[in-house]
Amino acid sequence: MAPNPTPLFPLPSLVLFPGLVLPLYVFEQRYRDLLADTRKSGEPFGIVRILEAGGEEPSRPFQERVAKVGTLAHLRSVTDHDDGTASIVVVGGERFRILDFDMTRSYLSAAIQEDPLPEGPGEQDMTAALSRRLLDGLLRVRASEAEAIREHAPQEPLLLASFAATLLPLSGDQREQALDTLDLLDRLETLISFLPRDERALN
């Protein structure tokens, strides 16, 4: 186990992508502990998706019910409340993979390996073309918000992929599939494949 395991904040049905801003409300004691340790260290924590709800009698230990790929969350602001809870804002950083879990703290933590998304070998033209296709599909899927989407859509393909992955009507499994891709081209192609059939045909 690494000497400084990374704190993990598992969330149901949520996948954080690089560059995205995420507000969170921290109320459980174990995550209050996580927040205190994060503020003290200045290091990011990891957000991973809960794959299986616990229910009254979970079939597997908690660490076996979370995804093994996640995204580092960098703390941007904290608002403390009188009752000990807190409202925080984080921004997604690098993708990571879990190597080994650490069960010694009140919250789940793990030894991780950062796994940044490669752009793809010499495929800038293809990346630009796929980015346009993805944005066009997103505009059609959410036509009533087209003006705001055009205004806020990032120019950088990696951030555009993150933006689209959040706005498209995807399941948690689909978002995790988009996070866990080989390179940027693969992520763009994966997101395009999730567009409704009519939108893909138009593209």
Side-chain angles (χ1 to χ4, degrees):
M1 176 63 61
N4 294 304
T6 297
L8 298 180
F9 199 134
L11 291 166
S13 304
L14 190 144
V15 177
L16 178 65
F17 284 86
L20 290 187
V21 175
L22 176 68
L24 293 170
Y25 179 58
V26 180
F27 60 93
E28 289 187 55
Q29 185 57 54
R30 56 183 167 177
Y31 297 123
R32 296 187 199 184
D33 296 344
L34 180 154
L35 178 59
D37 289 347
T38 298
R39 294 170 85 170
K40 186 183 302 182
S41 71
E43 296 296 320
F45 59 90
I47 288 184
V48 290
R49 185 171 73 97
I50 299 175
L51 303 177
E52 175 189 328
E56 293 184 2
E57 295 185 8
S59 60
R60 296 182 291 166
F62 185 48
Q63 69 271 21
E64 295 180 14
R65 293 185 280 113
V66 299
K68 303 304 187 291
V69 59
T71 303
L72 291 173
H74 295 266
L75 196 60
R76 287 293 176 259
S77 68
V78 180
T79 302
D80 294 306
H81 304 304
D82 293 340
D83 61 0
T85 64
S87 298
I88 69 174
V89 176
V90 301
V91 62
E94 296 289 6
R95 179 177 65 178
F96 67 84
R97 298 186 186 278
I98 291 174
L99 302 177
D100 192 16
F101 287 104
D102 184 317
M103 309 299 293
T104 62
R105 307 181 186 187
S106 59
Y107 51 83
L108 189 63
S109 58
I112 66 167
Q113 179 177 345
E114 291 190 23
D115 186 23
L117 191 71
E119 183 169 336
E123 297 288 354
Q124 290 186 348
D125 289 345
M126 180 64 75
T127 298
L130 290 174
S131 297
R132 288 192 296 271
R133 286 184 60 191
L134 179 59
L135 180 57
D136 287 345
L138 177 61
L139 289 168
R140 292 189 177 98
V141 167
R142 304 191 63 153
S144 64
E145 304 161 74
E147 184 175 346
I149 288 172
R150 284 194 186 92
E151 180 180 351
H152 296 290
Q155 296 295 315
E156 184 182 340
L158 175 64
L159 297 182
L160 176 64
S162 297
F163 181 75
T166 301
L167 291 181
L168 287 172
L170 306 180
S171 67
D173 285 343
Q174 288 174 318
R175 288 194 172 94
E176 188 174 336
Q177 186 178 336
L179 181 68
D180 193 16
T181 46
L182 295 173
D183 54 33
L184 181 54
L185 282 178
D186 188 20
R187 182 170 295 173
L188 292 167
E189 289 173 340
T190 297
L191 289 168
I192 289 169
S193 76
F194 292 150
L195 290 169
R197 186 175 300 275
D198 289 346
E199 307 308 328
R200 279 184 279 159
L202 285 169
N203 278 303

